[in-house]
Amino acid sequence: MSLVFSKAKNGMPICSCNGIFLHSTYNPLREAERFVNLSSCSFIPSSVCIVEPALSYCFKFLRGKFPFSQLSVIRLSHDFDAYNDGWDHIFYCCSCEDLSEQLFDMLGENGIMTTFFISWDSSEKAFPVFFSQAWTEIKKAVIKSRTVLETRTYFTARWLKNLCVFFKNIRKTAVIKTGTSPILITASGPSLADAVPFIKKFRTSFFLIAVSSSLDVLFYHQIIPDLCISTDGGFWAKKHLETLRKYTTLLPLALSPEAACSPQLLSDVAIVPLSYGSEIEKSFFSSFGITAHSARRNGTVSGTAVELALSLTSGPVFCCGLDLSPGKGYQHTQPNRLEMENCSADNRLKTKETRSAASEFLSPSLAIYRSWFSSRGTAMTSRLFRLSDNFPFTTKLGTIKDVDWNFFLEHSNPKCIPPEILISDIKEYDDRNRCNKIKTTLDSLKTGNVWLENAFPTDFISYLRSGTTEQKNIYKERLDKKNAELIKKLEDLVCV
């Protein structure tokens, strides 16, 4: 690639790539103004993202046309870094990093679905390979955002019900004081089985966090974790946690308010509250005077567990059972709660082999989880390792290193300090006071845009993208009707 800088007829800087000019050779500023004037969007975007504007002449015109939108740029070459001033976000599609994950991490699903994506026309001719790659990655980010929004739309009512159950029943909370020791996270992939003997042998050498799906395996082998974590709001997540009832006095539970958990367990176990930072969660935590650990919502609970672990120690973090790939036989180390429940329905016509065979094929969910881990930068992966007894993993996880137990021993130190869990009782509220606090908090939130955005994500996005006042009114009426029904259900749930 040959990039040449020169001057236009009016004396302004311009450049060309392989003989293709990226700006007008007469008046690049007027060209940029005309480009922005012709770029029309049918809604007011939260963000405008342009693919490779080169010397950024279009920036001031985009700022004038979209004064309340964030302005982002996707660079196809680092040669234009000197022209990055003013842009709110800068992404790159000229390296090995996953642009779609960069976009999703920075903008989120709501932000991507309300972003106006455009491209500087000359860049397509000058950088055809990177240009095509950039739009492929944008498409991937949009598809992922749409999938996440569909999932949120389907589960949001359940998550909000879980949130109300959480604050109605929580009795003891815990905070974690950071340490320096290694942290080991157990997921439930097949490789966990080979790791169990080593986990038992070196149990005192690390702080152990168990993803809830791995609890049955650990308890079966008499391994007691220091902490369990669950963030899933679905039926099976609650099933996985049933095992905890045998160890309620021993094992704290890191839990997000939207996660599924039985009222009895919430009352009996010390909860390490996790907050994703939404305004709804902040309002409830503030109302109840509860301090929460910061967490990030990810496609998989293992991702949230990893980020939590990295925040709790300055030492290395190891993951066992993090296979994230289909394979022959069981897809989870046994015993597993899913298999315990599913096998009861096996019969001569619907056999176990028929049921398990489907899980041996490629899974869209596993692909999403694997993509998240594979796209992590070195700031995370420099301290994060996938640990096994030389298990033959079929897929890599980006720059995350696969290591064995000899590596673990080299990076463990008996003088390291493990994280410390400090448990305290919540200030006593009787059931009536708890219900009143929840209802008061709901009343303060239920008509605002923050509530509507979280409670009805797809409808709210449609409302934001409405082009006319008439369309906006139609979507707003629909939102108000659905919201009234949801609030009624939540209030009835709280008062039970």
Side-chain angles (χ1 to χ4, degrees):
M1 183 176 69
S2 176
L3 198 65
V4 178
F5 288 86
S6 57
K7 290 187 179 295
K9 294 292 185 181
N10 66 351
M12 301 189 74
I14 56 172
C15 62
S16 63
C17 179
N18 296 329
I20 299 171
F21 281 97
L22 288 133
H23 296 286
S24 168
T25 57
Y26 292 92
N27 191 331
L29 204 60
R30 183 173 297 172
E31 176 195 36
E33 182 179 20
R34 184 166 55 250
F35 166 81
V36 171
N37 288 338
L38 293 173
S39 301
S40 60
C41 185
S42 61
F43 60 96
I44 300 176
S46 64
S47 173
V48 177
C49 186
I50 181 169
V51 178
E52 194 48 272
L55 306 189
S56 297
Y57 285 118
C58 61
F59 173 80
K60 76 171 186 176
F61 301 109
L62 287 172
R63 177 60 71 205
K65 187 169 184 175
F66 302 101
F68 305 109
S69 304
Q70 290 190 327
L71 300 184
S72 305
V73 57
I74 296 175
R75 289 294 187 195
L76 307 182
S77 170
H78 283 285
D79 292 306
F80 302 116
D81 285 354
Y83 301 91
N84 285 342
D85 289 348
W87 298 101
D88 294 299
H89 303 300
I90 301 161
F91 304 99
Y92 290 93
C93 192
C94 49
S95 62
C96 61
E97 294 184 15
D98 193 330
L99 174 62
S100 66
E101 292 296 333
Q102 293 180 48
L103 290 168
F104 189 85
D105 286 347
M106 182 62 70
L107 302 177
E109 63 271 19
N110 284 32
I112 287 175
M113 297 306 288
T114 54
T115 292
F116 178 36
F117 289 99
I118 53 177
S119 58
W120 188 248
D121 295 337
S122 301
S123 297
E124 180 176 7
K125 301 173 183 177
F127 309 97
V129 175
F130 286 138
F131 186 89
S132 177
Q133 180 183 339
W135 280 100
T136 298
E137 292 296 307
I138 290 170
K139 182 179 179 180
K140 285 170 59 178
V142 171
I143 291 173
K144 179 178 179 178
S145 299
R146 186 176 62 195
T147 302
V148 171
L149 283 170
E150 289 171 351
T151 303
R152 285 177 54 196
T153 298
Y154 183 81
F155 285 107
T156 290
R158 182 183 299 176
W159 290 344
L160 291 173
K161 291 176 183 177
N162 290 342
L163 179 144
C164 291
V165 171
F166 179 94
F167 285 99
K168 182 180 178 180
N169 294 283
I170 187 172
R171 294 293 185 273
K172 292 181 289 186
T173 62
V175 295
I176 307 178
K177 186 178 179 181
T178 59
T180 59
S181 74
I183 292 181
L184 179 66
I185 300 170
T186 56
S188 59
S191 64
L192 178 61
D194 292 345
V196 165
F198 296 93
I199 295 175
K200 293 186 71 172
K201 182 178 181 179
F202 303 118
R203 176 63 188 90
T204 58
S205 301
F206 49 77
F207 184 91
L208 179 56
I209 299 177
V211 171
S212 58
S213 60
S214 68
L215 279 175
D216 284 300
V217 177
L218 297 180
F219 287 152
Y220 179 80
H221 292 281
Q222 293 83 49
I223 300 171
I224 307 300
D226 295 295
L227 179 71
C228 175
I229 182 171
S230 181
T231 61
D232 197 327
F235 170 80
W236 286 112
K238 186 186 292 187
K239 282 288 185 181
H240 285 308
L241 291 174
E242 286 181 356
T243 308
L244 273 182
R245 293 194 178 181
K246 303 175 184 177
Y247 302 91
T248 53
T249 59
L250 298 176
L251 185 55
L253 172 60
L255 198 71
S256 60
E258 66 186 35
C261 186
S262 68
Q264 181 179 342
L265 198 60
L266 281 165
S267 299
D268 294 342
V269 174
I271 302 296
V272 179
L274 302 178
S275 174
Y276 295 133
S278 73
E279 293 302 319
I280 292 175
E281 285 184 343
K282 287 179 182 178
S283 296
F284 275 93
F285 280 122
S286 175
S287 178
F288 280 80
I290 295 175
T291 300
H293 278 269
S294 178
R296 284 209 311 168
R297 182 184 284 107
N298 295 305
T300 167
V301 62
S302 296
T304 302
V306 163
E307 292 188 317
L308 176 65
L310 288 168
S311 73
L312 296 179
T313 184
S314 58
V317 173
F318 298 92
C319 295
C320 289
L322 193 67
D323 299 37
L324 300 182
S325 59
K328 297 292 183 182
Y330 291 117
Q331 302 307 300
H332 301 276
T333 299
Q334 301 302 306
N336 182 269
R337 188 65 51 171
L338 293 176
E339 181 61 24
M340 294 178 195
E341 295 285 337
N342 289 336
C343 69
S344 62
D346 293 338
N347 56 48
R348 184 167 55 86
L349 298 178
K350 296 181 179 179
T351 65
K352 175 181 178 180
E353 288 74 15
T354 301
R355 172 173 56 80
S356 61
S359 62
E360 296 179 6
F361 296 97
L362 292 176
S363 164
S365 297
L366 286 179
I368 291 173
Y369 306 158
R370 192 165 55 249
S371 175
W372 185 87
F373 278 99
S374 298
S375 64
R376 298 305 92 188
T378 54
M380 173 183 287
T381 61
S382 62
R383 287 199 294 130
L384 177 62
F385 307 93
R386 183 163 63 172
L387 176 63
S388 73
D389 183 28
N390 296 301
F391 187 84
F393 293 109
T394 58
T395 56
K396 297 286 291 182
L397 298 181
T399 58
I400 298 174
K401 293 181 181 178
D402 291 333
V403 300
D404 60 16
W405 287 90
N406 289 326
F407 181 94
F408 168 82
L409 290 175
E410 292 172 3
H411 289 76
S412 61
N413 184 340
K415 295 183 179 180
C416 288
I417 302 171
E420 182 181 2
I421 299 177
L422 307 173
I423 300 174
S424 60
D425 292 328
I426 294 179
K427 181 181 177 182
E428 280 301 320
Y429 300 106
D430 60 33
D431 288 342
R432 177 174 294 181
N433 282 339
R434 285 176 177 270
C435 292
N436 287 337
K437 278 184 174 291
I438 293 173
K439 291 179 70 174
T440 299
T441 308
L442 286 174
D443 286 340
S444 69
L445 293 168
K446 64 185 182 183
T447 58
N449 282 349
V450 170
W451 174 267
L452 295 176
E453 178 182 357
N454 283 273
F456 310 100
T458 303
D459 288 322
F460 191 75
I461 292 295
S462 298
Y463 167 71
L464 291 179
R465 291 177 63 100
S466 300
T468 66
T469 302
E470 182 180 0
Q471 288 177 326
K472 280 191 176 295
N473 289 336
I474 292 173
Y475 279 112
K476 189 62 167 65
E477 288 177 8
R478 185 183 301 174
L479 278 169
D480 290 341
K481 182 179 179 180
K482 288 185 176 182
N483 192 36
E485 294 173 354
L486 176 60
I487 293 295
K488 178 68 166 57
K489 291 179 180 179
L490 295 177
E491 290 178 343
D492 288 346
L493 174 67
V494 170
C495 294
V496 171

